[in-house]
Amino acid sequence: MKNLFETAGRKFGGSARELSRPVSLSVCAMMLAITLVLSYFGNISITFLGTNVIKLSFTVIPIAVAGMLYGPVCAGIIGGLSDIIGFMLAPMGAYIPGFTISMVLIGFVFGIALYEEKPSLLRIAAAQFVVSLFISTLLGSLWFVLFYGFRPLQALSVRGIKELVMYPISVALVFLIAKTVARLPEIETLRKKKRRSPQE
């Protein structure tokens, strides 16, 4: 447990330093733009009891890639901003800050799991499991109970079904794209430069 907190602290520190690098900020801005496009065009909303509560979305992919490249702080910021800006561009009902918190936490999880690590299938599956179970299902159900008036079991069943459908799809897509991005020559060059940097 101590090693886990030490690793998380180191990764948060390294990720915070990424914010001072123009190249990192440029790529993060691109990942934010991709997240917004996917949130607007790349999702399927299913109506349940008159409310769009089941949303099959692929926004986790650029957030996970940002977490792999630049760590939990950058990925968390992208997740939070994508929810806020997405709501401003295309509001659906009232703004619920709980979902912004969830998006930030998703960025944190993928950043801790993938930053400065090889994007293995096991590591990505574990990170997505934490996201699907604890953030999307349990925490997401809490937001539906508090803000939409759902009964707890009702909210859990709706969110649970959505995550069961999306889990294998998300794991496969994140793994394929993360492995592809990690092999890009530009990414390898940036990593070598960071290892030689005295800041690190």
Side-chain angles (χ1 to χ4, degrees):
M1 184 63 71
K2 182 180 178 181
N3 289 336
L4 176 63
F5 284 112
E6 288 177 351
T7 300
R10 175 177 55 80
K11 292 188 177 185
F12 269 93
S15 182
R17 288 192 291 273
E18 297 284 2
L19 296 173
S20 65
R21 298 186 175 96
V23 173
S24 301
L25 292 177
S26 299
V27 177
C28 285
M30 182 178 66
M31 292 297 171
L32 174 59
I34 294 172
T35 305
L36 290 171
V37 170
L38 288 176
S39 70
Y40 192 75
F41 296 105
N43 62 70
I44 303 171
S45 294
I46 300 175
T47 301
F48 184 79
L49 297 179
T51 306
N52 290 329
V53 293
I54 302 180
K55 188 175 183 180
L56 306 181
S57 175
F58 301 98
T59 55
V60 69
I61 297 171
I63 294 174
V65 172
M68 178 186 73
L69 296 177
Y70 302 117
V73 174
C74 296
I77 291 173
I78 291 171
L81 286 178
S82 69
D83 187 71
I84 295 171
I85 298 172
F87 175 80
M88 294 172 63
L89 294 176
M92 296 177 63
Y95 170 70
I96 298 176
F99 290 114
T100 302
I101 294 172
S102 293
M103 292 298 288
V104 171
L105 292 176
I106 289 172
F108 285 173
V109 169
F110 277 107
I112 292 172
L114 301 180
Y115 185 51
E116 299 177 340
E117 308 284 353
K118 291 184 178 180
S120 68
L121 180 59
L122 180 61
R123 186 174 290 274
I124 290 171
Q128 184 61 53
F129 179 80
V130 172
V131 167
S132 295
L133 178 61
F134 295 103
I135 300 176
S136 296
T137 299
L138 297 180
L139 196 58
S141 296
L142 176 63
W143 306 140
F144 279 113
V145 170
L146 294 178
F147 296 102
Y148 288 120
F150 276 56
R151 295 188 298 274
L153 288 179
Q154 183 185 41
L156 283 170
S157 64
V158 170
R159 301 292 294 180
I161 291 171
K162 177 248 185 182
E163 290 306 316
L164 281 175
V165 172
M166 285 301 300
Y167 177 78
I169 299 173
S170 297
V171 170
L173 290 176
V174 170
F175 175 69
L176 290 173
I177 294 175
K179 290 289 285 186
T180 301
V181 171
R183 291 184 182 134
L184 293 175
E186 295 83 359
I187 300 301
E188 285 298 322
T189 300
L190 287 174
R191 285 177 173 171
K192 289 178 181 177
K193 286 182 178 179
K194 284 197 298 182
R195 282 195 291 264
R196 291 197 300 264
S197 172
Q199 288 183 331
E200 298 295 317

